[in-house]
Amino acid sequence: MSGSTVRAVRFHETGGPEVLRIEDVELRDPGPGEVRIRVRAVGLNRSEVNFRRGTYLEAPVLPAGLGSECTGTVLATGPDAGPWRPGDEVCVLPASSQNTHPVYAEEAIVPAGALLARPSGLDDAGAAALWMPLLTVWGMTRHAVRLREGDRLLVTAASNSIGAAALQIARHVGARAVAVVPDGRHGDALRAAGADEVLTGTPDAERLREALGGGADLVLDAEGGPGVERLVRACAPGGAVIVHGGLSGEPTPLPAAGYAPVWLRRFHVREVVGDPAVLARAVAFARAGLAAGTLTPLVDRIFDLADVAAAHDYLESPDRAPGKPVLRIG
């Protein structure tokens, strides 16, 4: 396969969705610990928007590819690639750099350690949309903090894949969940996912506590910024606020005094995918939920590869519905 070309998405400068190009790219053979896969569908994440802009945790090496989460079929394996064989149906976890292993392409080279066997019964879109939300939320609710039956969970900016997964996991473990969203357009979908109540706008701490039936035991916040102070004030003593995103675009200050003892921390999915033992526990939890029917991938919209710029424009849109947008490759 050495020297063969595939269609792939790349950008030669940072910027808006208009910088994305579909190009013929030469793809190398898999090296040690790598496999080559035929990509079927890609789960789209806001991290790719930030990578394209040049504002992500790592800077793109131009010209750069995109993406770290997908589903597909193993085509070839390099040395020391573990149990994987050509023909295996797999999911690729977001466990490596977009600079070295981008997956917005017809075929991709990915680390063997980032692969999981594709769960049965899922179509391409569902398999591509599954793991990033579930692993992230499992890490926040079962690893960083232990969400238990009867606990009270607050989820901000809940109309996305992380929010929907958080509501599903809350229902799965028997916790009460309150979702906060800008408006009421997606209230029914969020309640179906697991929200006991849906609040709109920017409710103050007193309103949040009222909806929860007391202070929050755990807050999952995708926004960050000054609004974190009201979330801290909505917590019960010993509660936790985990900031896993920065949608506000503003710094997150340490709240002033005068609130209950609350644990405030950040979280990234690498805390799960970077530790094999932790990842194994997360995967076992997710597969049990899939088998029971209490956890399921929630796909928002599906875009074709040719419409990748429109897909990125939608990733930043306030009109997004709960769930994950997916890029269909083949």
Side-chain angles (χ1 to χ4, degrees), residues 289-319:
L290 289 169
T294 54
L295 303 180
T296 183
L298 186 58
V299 176
D300 177 6
R301 288 182 56 180
I302 300 175
F303 294 85
D304 290 327
L305 178 62
D307 299 321
V308 63
H312 264 235
D313 188 58
Y314 183 69
L315 273 173
E316 302 181 70
S317 169
D319 297 327

PDB file of all heavy atoms in Angstrom, residues 289-319:
ATOM      1  N   GLY A 289     -23.865  -0.649  29.871  1.00  0.00           N
ATOM      2  CA  GLY A 289     -24.983   0.246  29.610  1.00  0.00           C
ATOM      3  C   GLY A 289     -25.567   0.073  28.232  1.00  0.00           C
ATOM      4  O   GLY A 289     -26.794   0.138  28.048  1.00  0.00           O
ATOM      5  N   LEU A 290     -24.706  -0.180  27.244  1.00  0.00           N
ATOM      6  CA  LEU A 290     -25.197  -0.449  25.892  1.00  0.00           C
ATOM      7  C   LEU A 290     -26.032  -1.719  25.862  1.00  0.00           C
ATOM      8  O   LEU A 290     -27.107  -1.769  25.244  1.00  0.00           O
ATOM      9  CB  LEU A 290     -24.016  -0.578  24.921  1.00  0.00           C
ATOM     10  CG  LEU A 290     -23.259   0.703  24.575  1.00  0.00           C
ATOM     11  CD1 LEU A 290     -21.970   0.359  23.837  1.00  0.00           C
ATOM     12  CD2 LEU A 290     -24.122   1.629  23.716  1.00  0.00           C
ATOM     13  N   ALA A 291     -25.548  -2.760  26.534  1.00  0.00           N
ATOM     14  CA  ALA A 291     -26.270  -4.032  26.564  1.00  0.00           C
ATOM     15  C   ALA A 291     -27.620  -3.887  27.260  1.00  0.00           C
ATOM     16  O   ALA A 291     -28.615  -4.508  26.858  1.00  0.00           O
ATOM     17  CB  ALA A 291     -25.426  -5.101  27.256  1.00  0.00           C
ATOM     18  N   ALA A 292     -27.663  -3.040  28.301  1.00  0.00           N
ATOM     19  CA  ALA A 292     -28.907  -2.846  29.042  1.00  0.00           C
ATOM     20  C   ALA A 292     -29.861  -1.894  28.335  1.00  0.00           C
ATOM     21  O   ALA A 292     -31.043  -1.815  28.695  1.00  0.00           O
ATOM     22  CB  ALA A 292     -28.596  -2.316  30.435  1.00  0.00           C
ATOM     23  N   GLY A 293     -29.357  -1.164  27.348  1.00  0.00           N
ATOM     24  CA  GLY A 293     -30.186  -0.202  26.632  1.00  0.00           C
ATOM     25  C   GLY A 293     -30.320   1.135  27.321  1.00  0.00           C
ATOM     26  O   GLY A 293     -31.063   2.004  26.855  1.00  0.00           O
ATOM     27  N   THR A 294     -29.594   1.359  28.425  1.00  0.00           N
ATOM     28  CA  THR A 294     -29.673   2.631  29.138  1.00  0.00           C
ATOM     29  C   THR A 294     -28.685   3.665  28.591  1.00  0.00           C
ATOM     30  O   THR A 294     -28.861   4.862  28.828  1.00  0.00           O
ATOM     31  CB  THR A 294     -29.413   2.430  30.634  1.00  0.00           C
ATOM     32  OG1 THR A 294     -28.165   1.738  30.802  1.00  0.00           O
ATOM     33  CG2 THR A 294     -30.526   1.608  31.274  1.00  0.00           C
ATOM     34  N   LEU A 295     -27.655   3.219  27.910  1.00  0.00           N
ATOM     35  CA  LEU A 295     -26.702   4.113  27.259  1.00  0.00           C
ATOM     36  C   LEU A 295     -26.754   3.854  25.762  1.00  0.00           C
ATOM     37  O   LEU A 295     -26.767   2.699  25.322  1.00  0.00           O
ATOM     38  CB  LEU A 295     -25.279   3.886  27.780  1.00  0.00           C
ATOM     39  CG  LEU A 295     -25.066   4.026  29.288  1.00  0.00           C
ATOM     40  CD1 LEU A 295     -23.602   3.761  29.635  1.00  0.00           C
ATOM     41  CD2 LEU A 295     -25.497   5.393  29.790  1.00  0.00           C
ATOM     42  N   THR A 296     -26.760   4.919  24.993  1.00  0.00           N
ATOM     43  CA  THR A 296     -26.831   4.769  23.541  1.00  0.00           C
ATOM     44  C   THR A 296     -26.228   5.997  22.882  1.00  0.00           C
ATOM     45  O   THR A 296     -26.330   7.109  23.437  1.00  0.00           O
ATOM     46  CB  THR A 296     -28.288   4.578  23.074  1.00  0.00           C
ATOM     47  OG1 THR A 296     -28.323   4.361  21.659  1.00  0.00           O
ATOM     48  CG2 THR A 296     -29.129   5.790  23.410  1.00  0.00           C
ATOM     49  N   PRO A 297     -25.565   5.849  21.738  1.00  0.00           N
ATOM     50  CA  PRO A 297     -25.044   7.041  21.063  1.00  0.00           C
ATOM     51  C   PRO A 297     -26.189   7.904  20.560  1.00  0.00           C
ATOM     52  O   PRO A 297     -27.216   7.395  20.099  1.00  0.00           O
ATOM     53  CB  PRO A 297     -24.223   6.466  19.898  1.00  0.00           C
ATOM     54  CG  PRO A 297     -24.786   5.107  19.663  1.00  0.00           C
ATOM     55  CD  PRO A 297     -25.236   4.613  20.999  1.00  0.00           C
ATOM     56  N   LEU A 298     -26.022   9.208  20.677  1.00  0.00           N
ATOM     57  CA  LEU A 298     -27.025  10.150  20.196  1.00  0.00           C
ATOM     58  C   LEU A 298     -26.407  10.965  19.066  1.00  0.00           C
ATOM     59  O   LEU A 298     -25.521  11.788  19.298  1.00  0.00           O
ATOM     60  CB  LEU A 298     -27.490  11.060  21.333  1.00  0.00           C
ATOM     61  CG  LEU A 298     -28.647  12.006  21.029  1.00  0.00           C
ATOM     62  CD1 LEU A 298     -29.881  11.220  20.573  1.00  0.00           C
ATOM     63  CD2 LEU A 298     -28.996  12.847  22.256  1.00  0.00           C
ATOM     64  N   VAL A 299     -26.855  10.702  17.852  1.00  0.00           N
ATOM     65  CA  VAL A 299     -26.329  11.380  16.662  1.00  0.00           C
ATOM     66  C   VAL A 299     -27.205  12.581  16.349  1.00  0.00           C
ATOM     67  O   VAL A 299     -28.432  12.474  16.294  1.00  0.00           O
ATOM     68  CB  VAL A 299     -26.284  10.412  15.461  1.00  0.00           C
ATOM     69  CG1 VAL A 299     -25.827  11.148  14.201  1.00  0.00           C
ATOM     70  CG2 VAL A 299     -25.367   9.233  15.764  1.00  0.00           C
ATOM     71  N   ASP A 300     -26.577  13.715  16.155  1.00  0.00           N
ATOM     72  CA  ASP A 300     -27.303  14.933  15.819  1.00  0.00           C
ATOM     73  C   ASP A 300     -27.548  14.989  14.311  1.00  0.00           C
ATOM     74  O   ASP A 300     -28.630  14.653  13.836  1.00  0.00           O
ATOM     75  CB  ASP A 300     -26.505  16.133  16.322  1.00  0.00           C
ATOM     76  CG  ASP A 300     -27.127  17.469  15.961  1.00  0.00           C
ATOM     77  OD1 ASP A 300     -28.240  17.476  15.422  1.00  0.00           O
ATOM     78  OD2 ASP A 300     -26.499  18.513  16.237  1.00  0.00           O
ATOM     79  N   ARG A 301     -26.536  15.380  13.544  1.00  0.00           N
ATOM     80  CA  ARG A 301     -26.660  15.454  12.085  1.00  0.00           C
ATOM     81  C   ARG A 301     -25.517  14.710  11.433  1.00  0.00           C
ATOM     82  O   ARG A 301     -24.439  14.577  12.006  1.00  0.00           O
ATOM     83  CB  ARG A 301     -26.665  16.917  11.609  1.00  0.00           C
ATOM     84  CG  ARG A 301     -27.944  17.669  11.927  1.00  0.00           C
ATOM     85  CD  ARG A 301     -27.895  19.089  11.387  1.00  0.00           C
ATOM     86  NE  ARG A 301     -27.641  19.150   9.946  1.00  0.00           N
ATOM     87  CZ  ARG A 301     -27.560  20.279   9.258  1.00  0.00           C
ATOM     88  NH1 ARG A 301     -27.687  21.437   9.878  1.00  0.00           N
ATOM     89  NH2 ARG A 301     -27.337  20.264   7.959  1.00  0.00           N
ATOM     90  N   ILE A 302     -25.745  14.242  10.200  1.00  0.00           N
ATOM     91  CA  ILE A 302     -24.726  13.535   9.431  1.00  0.00           C
ATOM     92  C   ILE A 302     -24.389  14.369   8.200  1.00  0.00           C
ATOM     93  O   ILE A 302     -25.276  14.771   7.442  1.00  0.00           O
ATOM     94  CB  ILE A 302     -25.207  12.131   9.015  1.00  0.00           C
ATOM     95  CG1 ILE A 302     -25.526  11.299  10.260  1.00  0.00           C
ATOM     96  CG2 ILE A 302     -24.142  11.436   8.155  1.00  0.00           C
ATOM     97  CD1 ILE A 302     -26.127   9.936   9.943  1.00  0.00           C
ATOM     98  N   PHE A 303     -23.099  14.618   8.007  1.00  0.00           N
ATOM     99  CA  PHE A 303     -22.602  15.375   6.860  1.00  0.00           C
ATOM    100  C   PHE A 303     -21.744  14.467   5.990  1.00  0.00           C
ATOM    101  O   PHE A 303     -21.040  13.588   6.502  1.00  0.00           O
ATOM    102  CB  PHE A 303     -21.750  16.558   7.320  1.00  0.00           C
ATOM    103  CG  PHE A 303     -22.503  17.614   8.082  1.00  0.00           C
ATOM    104  CD1 PHE A 303     -22.711  17.486   9.451  1.00  0.00           C
ATOM    105  CD2 PHE A 303     -22.990  18.734   7.436  1.00  0.00           C
ATOM    106  CE1 PHE A 303     -23.393  18.456  10.160  1.00  0.00           C
ATOM    107  CE2 PHE A 303     -23.675  19.717   8.138  1.00  0.00           C
ATOM    108  CZ  PHE A 303     -23.885  19.571   9.499  1.00  0.00           C
ATOM    109  N   ASP A 304     -21.781  14.676   4.680  1.00  0.00           N
ATOM    110  CA  ASP A 304     -20.877  13.974   3.775  1.00  0.00           C
ATOM    111  C   ASP A 304     -19.503  14.648   3.790  1.00  0.00           C
ATOM    112  O   ASP A 304     -19.378  15.837   4.138  1.00  0.00           O
ATOM    113  CB  ASP A 304     -21.440  13.976   2.355  1.00  0.00           C
ATOM    114  CG  ASP A 304     -22.662  13.086   2.218  1.00  0.00           C
ATOM    115  OD1 ASP A 304     -22.719  12.051   2.910  1.00  0.00           O
ATOM    116  OD2 ASP A 304     -23.560  13.429   1.422  1.00  0.00           O
ATOM    117  N   LEU A 305     -18.492  13.897   3.380  1.00  0.00           N
ATOM    118  CA  LEU A 305     -17.128  14.417   3.376  1.00  0.00           C
ATOM    119  C   LEU A 305     -17.027  15.721   2.589  1.00  0.00           C
ATOM    120  O   LEU A 305     -16.347  16.660   3.019  1.00  0.00           O
ATOM    121  CB  LEU A 305     -16.174  13.368   2.791  1.00  0.00           C
ATOM    122  CG  LEU A 305     -14.705  13.770   2.667  1.00  0.00           C
ATOM    123  CD1 LEU A 305     -14.107  14.079   4.029  1.00  0.00           C
ATOM    124  CD2 LEU A 305     -13.913  12.651   1.977  1.00  0.00           C
ATOM    125  N   ALA A 306     -17.723  15.806   1.465  1.00  0.00           N
ATOM    126  CA  ALA A 306     -17.653  17.006   0.633  1.00  0.00           C
ATOM    127  C   ALA A 306     -18.190  18.239   1.353  1.00  0.00           C
ATOM    128  O   ALA A 306     -17.883  19.376   0.976  1.00  0.00           O
ATOM    129  CB  ALA A 306     -18.429  16.792  -0.668  1.00  0.00           C
ATOM    130  N   ASP A 307     -18.980  18.026   2.399  1.00  0.00           N
ATOM    131  CA  ASP A 307     -19.591  19.132   3.137  1.00  0.00           C
ATOM    132  C   ASP A 307     -18.885  19.403   4.462  1.00  0.00           C
ATOM    133  O   ASP A 307     -19.484  19.903   5.415  1.00  0.00           O
ATOM    134  CB  ASP A 307     -21.067  18.822   3.407  1.00  0.00           C
ATOM    135  CG  ASP A 307     -21.859  18.641   2.120  1.00  0.00           C
ATOM    136  OD1 ASP A 307     -21.596  19.398   1.156  1.00  0.00           O
ATOM    137  OD2 ASP A 307     -22.721  17.748   2.066  1.00  0.00           O
ATOM    138  N   VAL A 308     -17.587  19.104   4.529  1.00  0.00           N
ATOM    139  CA  VAL A 308     -16.864  19.232   5.795  1.00  0.00           C
ATOM    140  C   VAL A 308     -16.849  20.673   6.300  1.00  0.00           C
ATOM    141  O   VAL A 308     -16.938  20.914   7.516  1.00  0.00           O
ATOM    142  CB  VAL A 308     -15.428  18.670   5.664  1.00  0.00           C
ATOM    143  CG1 VAL A 308     -14.601  19.458   4.662  1.00  0.00           C
ATOM    144  CG2 VAL A 308     -14.748  18.633   7.030  1.00  0.00           C
ATOM    145  N   ALA A 309     -16.768  21.664   5.425  1.00  0.00           N
ATOM    146  CA  ALA A 309     -16.784  23.054   5.879  1.00  0.00           C
ATOM    147  C   ALA A 309     -18.127  23.394   6.523  1.00  0.00           C
ATOM    148  O   ALA A 309     -18.182  24.063   7.558  1.00  0.00           O
ATOM    149  CB  ALA A 309     -16.491  24.002   4.715  1.00  0.00           C
ATOM    150  N   ALA A 310     -19.208  22.919   5.918  1.00  0.00           N
ATOM    151  CA  ALA A 310     -20.535  23.137   6.501  1.00  0.00           C
ATOM    152  C   ALA A 310     -20.651  22.425   7.843  1.00  0.00           C
ATOM    153  O   ALA A 310     -21.289  22.930   8.780  1.00  0.00           O
ATOM    154  CB  ALA A 310     -21.617  22.658   5.538  1.00  0.00           C
ATOM    155  N   ALA A 311     -20.051  21.249   7.953  1.00  0.00           N
ATOM    156  CA  ALA A 311     -20.075  20.514   9.219  1.00  0.00           C
ATOM    157  C   ALA A 311     -19.368  21.303  10.314  1.00  0.00           C
ATOM    158  O   ALA A 311     -19.838  21.380  11.456  1.00  0.00           O
ATOM    159  CB  ALA A 311     -19.421  19.145   9.046  1.00  0.00           C
ATOM    160  N   HIS A 312     -18.228  21.911   9.988  1.00  0.00           N
ATOM    161  CA  HIS A 312     -17.503  22.707  10.984  1.00  0.00           C
ATOM    162  C   HIS A 312     -18.260  23.982  11.334  1.00  0.00           C
ATOM    163  O   HIS A 312     -18.251  24.424  12.488  1.00  0.00           O
ATOM    164  CB  HIS A 312     -16.097  23.025  10.482  1.00  0.00           C
ATOM    165  CG  HIS A 312     -15.073  22.070  10.994  1.00  0.00           C
ATOM    166  ND1 HIS A 312     -13.944  22.456  11.664  1.00  0.00           N
ATOM    167  CD2 HIS A 312     -15.044  20.709  10.957  1.00  0.00           C
ATOM    168  CE1 HIS A 312     -13.243  21.384  12.010  1.00  0.00           C
ATOM    169  NE2 HIS A 312     -13.889  20.313  11.577  1.00  0.00           N
ATOM    170  N   ASP A 313     -18.919  24.560  10.353  1.00  0.00           N
ATOM    171  CA  ASP A 313     -19.753  25.720  10.633  1.00  0.00           C
ATOM    172  C   ASP A 313     -20.870  25.344  11.611  1.00  0.00           C
ATOM    173  O   ASP A 313     -21.178  26.092  12.545  1.00  0.00           O
ATOM    174  CB  ASP A 313     -20.339  26.259   9.328  1.00  0.00           C
ATOM    175  CG  ASP A 313     -21.058  27.579   9.515  1.00  0.00           C
ATOM    176  OD1 ASP A 313     -20.424  28.534   9.986  1.00  0.00           O
ATOM    177  OD2 ASP A 313     -22.259  27.657   9.187  1.00  0.00           O
ATOM    178  N   TYR A 314     -21.438  24.151  11.424  1.00  0.00           N
ATOM    179  CA  TYR A 314     -22.510  23.682  12.307  1.00  0.00           C
ATOM    180  C   TYR A 314     -21.985  23.384  13.707  1.00  0.00           C
ATOM    181  O   TYR A 314     -22.689  23.600  14.703  1.00  0.00           O
ATOM    182  CB  TYR A 314     -23.150  22.437  11.708  1.00  0.00           C
ATOM    183  CG  TYR A 314     -24.328  21.905  12.502  1.00  0.00           C
ATOM    184  CD1 TYR A 314     -25.512  22.617  12.566  1.00  0.00           C
ATOM    185  CD2 TYR A 314     -24.244  20.706  13.185  1.00  0.00           C
ATOM    186  CE1 TYR A 314     -26.595  22.139  13.293  1.00  0.00           C
ATOM    187  CE2 TYR A 314     -25.312  20.216  13.921  1.00  0.00           C
ATOM    188  CZ  TYR A 314     -26.485  20.944  13.970  1.00  0.00           C
ATOM    189  OH  TYR A 314     -27.545  20.470  14.699  1.00  0.00           O
ATOM    190  N   LEU A 315     -20.756  22.888  13.813  1.00  0.00           N
ATOM    191  CA  LEU A 315     -20.174  22.613  15.124  1.00  0.00           C
ATOM    192  C   LEU A 315     -20.163  23.855  16.016  1.00  0.00           C
ATOM    193  O   LEU A 315     -20.243  23.746  17.244  1.00  0.00           O
ATOM    194  CB  LEU A 315     -18.736  22.101  14.970  1.00  0.00           C
ATOM    195  CG  LEU A 315     -18.524  20.613  14.766  1.00  0.00           C
ATOM    196  CD1 LEU A 315     -17.057  20.334  14.455  1.00  0.00           C
ATOM    197  CD2 LEU A 315     -18.958  19.822  15.985  1.00  0.00           C
ATOM    198  N   GLU A 316     -20.057  25.027  15.403  1.00  0.00           N
ATOM    199  CA  GLU A 316     -20.006  26.272  16.159  1.00  0.00           C
ATOM    200  C   GLU A 316     -21.361  26.964  16.245  1.00  0.00           C
ATOM    201  O   GLU A 316     -21.474  28.044  16.820  1.00  0.00           O
ATOM    202  CB  GLU A 316     -18.999  27.218  15.510  1.00  0.00           C
ATOM    203  CG  GLU A 316     -17.587  26.645  15.413  1.00  0.00           C
ATOM    204  CD  GLU A 316     -16.613  27.624  14.787  1.00  0.00           C
ATOM    205  OE1 GLU A 316     -16.301  28.633  15.446  1.00  0.00           O
ATOM    206  OE2 GLU A 316     -16.181  27.390  13.652  1.00  0.00           O
ATOM    207  N   SER A 317     -22.401  26.343  15.703  1.00  0.00           N
ATOM    208  CA  SER A 317     -23.702  26.990  15.595  1.00  0.00           C
ATOM    209  C   SER A 317     -24.493  26.896  16.896  1.00  0.00           C
ATOM    210  O   SER A 317     -24.506  25.842  17.543  1.00  0.00           O
ATOM    211  CB  SER A 317     -24.514  26.349  14.466  1.00  0.00           C
ATOM    212  OG  SER A 317     -25.858  26.772  14.498  1.00  0.00           O
ATOM    213  N   PRO A 318     -25.206  27.949  17.273  1.00  0.00           N
ATOM    214  CA  PRO A 318     -26.097  27.867  18.432  1.00  0.00           C
ATOM    215  C   PRO A 318     -27.333  27.025  18.161  1.00  0.00           C
ATOM    216  O   PRO A 318     -28.104  26.733  19.079  1.00  0.00           O
ATOM    217  CB  PRO A 318     -26.473  29.333  18.685  1.00  0.00           C
ATOM    218  CG  PRO A 318     -26.333  29.992  17.347  1.00  0.00           C
ATOM    219  CD  PRO A 318     -25.180  29.304  16.684  1.00  0.00           C
ATOM    220  N   ASP A 319     -27.535  26.636  16.905  1.00  0.00           N
ATOM    221  CA  ASP A 319     -28.708  25.845  16.529  1.00  0.00           C
ATOM    222  C   ASP A 319     -28.499  24.346  16.687  1.00  0.00           C
ATOM    223  O   ASP A 319     -29.374  23.558  16.345  1.00  0.00           O
ATOM    224  CB  ASP A 319     -29.091  26.138  15.071  1.00  0.00           C
ATOM    225  CG  ASP A 319     -29.507  27.580  14.864  1.00  0.00           C
ATOM    226  OD1 ASP A 319     -30.081  28.156  15.803  1.00  0.00           O
ATOM    227  OD2 ASP A 319     -29.232  28.126  13.791  1.00  0.00           O
TER     228      ASP A 319
END
